[in-house]
Each structure stands twice: as structure tokens, then as C-alpha cells.
Amino acid sequence: MQELNFPRFTFRFKNSENKTAIFDEIRKKFVVLTPEEWVRQHTVKFLMEFKKASKSFLNVEKSIAQNGLTKRYDIVVFQQDGGIKLLVECKAPEVKITQAVFDQIARYNLELRADYLMVTNGLQHYFCQMDFEQQTYVFLTDLPELNG
């Protein structure tokens, strides 16, 4: 897999039916290793090891209902009160981070109301803090510690 703009992390892999799978610590199972999954797993490790997100407050690839449609978010970090601290959208490295990607995560966040947003393709990372009063977001150079 492609080298990403993250620190080096250790992962567990297995091969079955001519496909490589990577172990997801959050879902507690092996999942097929796609370019997007490679980014997702790096992001999970980054959030736990560098942003102090507690594993028990992380959620990966869950469905949400939005305007009668079922959508899936990539990663969420919950707060102790059940609110959402961070919503992450992961893309494969070859996918450019465009306004359409920000629009996608912003639509998800209308429902989820996370304090922070992260968009990454593994090569570029963007962080935002929400301002719900002004119905906008402010770009940050980094995320604060998340402290689950």
C-alpha cells in the first residue's frame, strides 16, 4: 500500500481468498484492505496515539439516516455525554479533497453536530472547528487532544 502522510503504525494483516485484510481494532474484525480503508486505519491510530482519543469512544463506519437516505460515516469520536467531539471523512489517496468532500461531511454533521471535522485522503489532512451559531466552520492547523 501507498505511503501516507501519517507516522508509521503497526497493523495486523491476513490474506484470504486472494484478498488482503487489515485488522480494525474498533470493529474487532479483519476488513478488506482498500485504499480508503488504509487511510481509515491510519486515521484511527493517529487519533488514539496522537490525539488521545479513547478506543471506547471511537466508532467506525456506522450508518446514519439523513433525509430518508442511509449514509455511512467513516469515523466518529464521542464525548462522555454521548455528544460527538469529532467527525472524520476518509478518502482514498487518489481522491482529491474538494469543496464537494467538505459539503458531504457538512451535510452529515447537520445530523451529528460534531464539534470538530477532519477530512483526509491520507496525504492531505484538513481540520475544522464548527461554529453552529454562525452556521460555518473555521479551519485549524491541527486538532486538539480529544481525551475520549
Side-chain angles (χ1 to χ4, degrees):
M1 278 276 139
Q2 179 175 351
E3 185 87 15
L4 300 177
N5 186 18
F6 280 107
R8 287 191 174 265
F9 297 113
T10 303
F11 298 99
R12 287 174 43 203
F13 299 96
K14 78 172 187 178
N15 287 311
S16 66
E17 299 175 19
N18 293 330
K19 289 188 178 165
T20 302
I22 188 168
F23 188 75
D24 183 316
E25 290 182 54
I26 307 306
R27 291 179 274 184
K28 296 181 174 68
K29 67 179 183 177
F30 282 93
V31 293
V32 174
L33 182 58
T34 62
E36 183 177 322
E37 192 62 46
W38 185 235
V39 172
R40 188 178 299 115
Q41 293 306 314
H42 275 79
T43 304
V44 166
K45 294 269 195 186
F46 169 76
L47 294 174
M48 289 191 305
E49 294 183 25
F50 288 87
K51 296 302 168 187
K52 310 297 185 225
S54 169
K55 186 193 273 191
S56 59
F57 286 97
L58 275 161
N59 209 306
V60 174
E61 277 219 305
K62 293 287 183 187
S63 297
I64 57 170
Q66 188 176 44
N67 298 330
L69 300 172
T70 301
K71 303 285 185 183
R72 291 180 83 77
Y73 61 72
D74 284 306
I75 303 169
V76 158
V77 179
F78 288 98
Q79 300 176 96
Q80 287 184 337
D81 66 5
I84 297 176
K85 185 80 165 183
L86 173 69
L87 172 62
V88 183
E89 180 63 28
C90 298
K91 297 294 184 190
E94 66 272 8
V95 176
K96 289 209 178 306
I97 305 295
T98 63
Q99 186 62 48
V101 175
F102 280 99
D103 292 346
Q104 176 186 4
I105 196 171
R107 279 193 306 275
Y108 289 0
N109 204 39
L110 290 173
E111 198 77 28
L112 299 172
R113 298 191 63 78
D115 296 334
Y116 296 94
L117 304 177
M118 176 180 178
V119 177
T120 181
N121 63 4
L123 304 173
Q124 297 176 293
H125 318 297
Y126 295 95
F127 313 105
C128 305
Q129 182 171 12
M130 295 303 301
D131 180 342
F132 290 106
E133 279 186 23
Q134 301 298 318
Q135 296 185 342
T136 187
Y137 46 83
V138 178
F139 281 96
L140 306 172
T141 55
D142 198 2
L143 286 173
E145 283 193 2
L146 300 168
N147 299 335

